[in-house]
Amino acid sequence: MLDYRFIKENLAAVKENIKNRNMTADADIVVKLFDEHTSLTTQLQSLQKKRNENAASMKQKLDDETRKKYVEEGKALKNDIAEMEKKLAEVDVKMDEAARQIPNMANPAVPVGKLDTENLEVKKVGTPRKFEFKPKDHVQLGESLDIIDFDRGTKVSGPKFYYLKNEAVFLEQALIMYALNTLRKHGFTTFITPDVARQEILQGIGFNPRGNESNVYCIEEEGTCLVATAEITLGGYHSGEILDKSKLPLFYCGLSHCFRREAGAAGHFSKGLYRVHQFDKVEMFVYSLPEQSDEIHEKLRLIEEEIFTGLGLPFRVVDTCTGDLGAPAYRKWDLEAWMPGRADESHPDGDYGEVTSTSNCTDYQARRLNVKYRDDDGKNKYVHMLNGTAIAVGRAMLAILENYQNADGSVTIPEVLVPFCGFDKIAPKNN
């Protein structure tokens, strides 16, 4: 969250940022509550000072009448302090709830816009393939190759679940190993993280565990949720800790199952593996000093580019507009891979679809999770937190199947994955 005093001192900018992000939050009420908090804190400190003075007076030699007066005064002060602490606690809860609705400030360079169609393309890598035959989408390929079963996934678990089978099982593991080995080369500490996290950790990262807008599955009466990304578990790893400045930055990566409700998500291009309720992902996460985070954000994006360049997939990089940022992000880059299966009247050869993103969340999450470092001046300060997708397996597999398909219905495996797969082509099955 943003610092309360920052909101008060930069109220106009904070309100403009909320508007640009197309979000609903009341910065005015936060300032009002912060002023109440300040006033109540001052009154409480005054009462505490009087209580201390009263207690010091009680230690002196006093006659019975004077002692009785001090005792009565002490009781009254105790009651007044308790009442003031109660009022302060109530104000602080309201202030915290209101402040959590306010998004992080956006980098001034971020394009202003409401929808992902207003994201700014900054780079293209590779050239989309021109097919000499009519290409299939990955759903058709999954069926003809007998490697993905959506129908039985729906029958057993519900819509947007699926079975991977045969070569797709090895392709998934190959993508994971490829991503992990790439990150190990870059010095990341590797994790397999829990699939469950406490609700307060999700809230700290910026996920809303409750309500119709929530994208996560909560476990009833447990106070926990299934994680939507390892960003949650890696971000919570050092919650409530003071980190050694000399050890920063910390480069972590985590493999996890990801569970998302995807409430309200629909549309022609949400079919198949693109938008599902469960998938595997390798996530990058960094704890850094404030002055390091912009440079590290660029590094995470370049690692994502390295991974998808290695896979031989055409992609573009977009600077995400304010309305598509997400509340915690100060700036976010998306990588969008070319997907021939997205062909329609407007895009007859296909179109780009998001496969990774990387965000610099500055100290927004660190404030909520209370993650600090001790600076050279002896003061504890909040770290900056960054995250980035190395591989979201379903979307990467989708792009591979559609881009590497052949006229005979087979799919060629990208060269970098062959050592992990043990085969270089997936052939159609004779059903």
Side-chain angles (χ1 to χ4, degrees), residues 124-129 308-309 311-317 335-340 351-353 355 399 403-404:
K124 275 186 177 176
V125 176
T127 304
R129 177 181 169 190
F308 277 83
T309 298
L311 290 172
L313 293 170
F315 64 87
R316 67 178 182 179
V317 180
L335 258 66
E336 298 179 347
W338 182 254
M339 298 179 180
D351 200 4
Y352 291 95
V355 286
N403 282 280
Y404 279 91

Side-chain angles (χ1 to χ4, degrees), residues 47 50-51 54 69-84:
L47 289 170
K50 290 179 180 179
R51 179 191 61 189
N54 177 276
K69 186 186 84 168
Y70 279 125
V71 168
E72 292 300 321
E73 184 181 308
K75 289 180 179 178
L77 285 167
K78 181 179 179 181
N79 290 335
D80 289 345
I81 288 172
E83 185 64 28
M84 192 63 67

Side-chain angles (χ1 to χ4, degrees), residues 60-304:
Q60 302 175 22
K61 288 186 177 182
L62 304 169
D63 58 57
D64 290 346
E65 188 66 29
T66 304
R67 180 172 295 279
K68 182 179 179 182
K69 186 186 84 168
Y70 279 125
V71 168
E72 292 300 321
E73 184 181 308
K75 289 180 179 178
L77 285 167
K78 181 179 179 181
N79 290 335
D80 289 345
I81 288 172
E83 185 64 28
M84 192 63 67
E85 287 176 336
K86 180 182 176 182
K87 287 182 180 178
L88 183 60
E90 290 172 351
V91 167
D92 284 351
V93 168
K94 293 177 182 177
M95 182 169 63
D96 179 78
E97 289 177 352
R100 284 176 181 271
Q101 306 306 311
I102 296 177
N104 199 359
M105 299 300 289
N107 186 310
V110 170
V112 176
K114 291 185 178 181
L115 305 172
D116 58 4
T117 52
E118 298 173 87
N119 294 342
L120 178 65
E121 181 183 299
V122 296
K123 188 178 190 178
K124 275 186 177 176
V125 176
T127 304
R129 177 181 169 190
K130 295 291 185 181
F131 289 90
E132 297 177 353
F133 57 93
K134 183 178 180 180
K136 299 177 181 177
D137 65 32
H138 74 284
V139 176
Q140 296 168 313
L141 289 164
E143 181 178 353
S144 64
L145 298 171
D146 195 26
I147 58 174
I148 311 173
D149 195 328
F150 293 104
D151 291 338
R152 289 185 176 87
T154 299
K155 178 179 73 173
V156 173
S157 303
K160 296 188 180 295
F161 287 96
Y162 57 96
Y163 285 86
L164 294 182
K165 55 190 294 194
N166 297 322
E167 291 93 339
V169 175
F170 296 92
L171 180 55
E172 161 144 340
Q173 297 305 311
L175 283 163
I176 291 170
M177 288 303 299
Y178 167 60
L180 289 174
N181 278 326
T182 301
L183 297 180
R184 178 166 58 177
K185 180 185 70 176
H186 284 283
F188 283 73
T189 300
T190 52
F191 293 83
I192 294 178
T193 80
D195 288 336
V196 173
R198 298 181 185 276
Q199 288 187 9
E200 56 264 31
I201 299 296
L202 274 84
Q203 290 171 330
I205 288 295
F207 282 80
N208 177 19
R210 304 181 189 88
N212 294 332
E213 299 292 321
S214 177
N215 198 26
V216 297
Y217 292 100
C218 281
I219 302 173
E220 292 185 12
E221 300 180 2
E222 293 289 333
T224 57
C225 302
L226 298 177
V227 301
T229 166
E231 175 192 349
I232 294 167
T233 40
L234 293 176
Y237 190 75
H238 287 299
S239 60
E241 296 182 19
I242 299 173
L243 305 179
D244 184 343
K245 181 181 180 181
S246 67
K247 301 285 180 62
L248 297 174
L250 297 172
F251 287 88
Y252 292 165
C253 69
L255 168 62
S256 75
H257 301 303
C258 303
F259 302 89
R260 302 190 181 185
R261 292 179 63 236
E262 299 293 1
H268 178 54
F269 298 129
S270 293
K271 69 179 182 179
L273 293 174
Y274 190 79
R275 199 175 297 281
V276 291
H277 289 316
Q278 179 183 342
F279 60 96
D280 288 346
K281 179 158 69 83
V282 178
E283 180 78 0
M284 302 180 284
F285 197 91
V286 183
Y287 296 85
S288 84
L289 297 173
E291 60 268 24
Q292 299 170 326
S293 66
D294 283 338
E295 181 180 350
I296 289 171
H297 193 208
E298 294 293 314
K299 177 175 180 175
L300 295 184
R301 194 197 79 222
L302 290 173
I303 290 172
E304 293 178 347

Side-chain angles (χ1 to χ4, degrees), residues 48-60:
Q48 290 170 334
K49 181 181 178 182
K50 290 179 180 179
R51 179 191 61 189
N52 294 338
E53 291 171 348
N54 177 276
S57 298
M58 291 281 288
K59 294 178 181 179
Q60 302 175 22

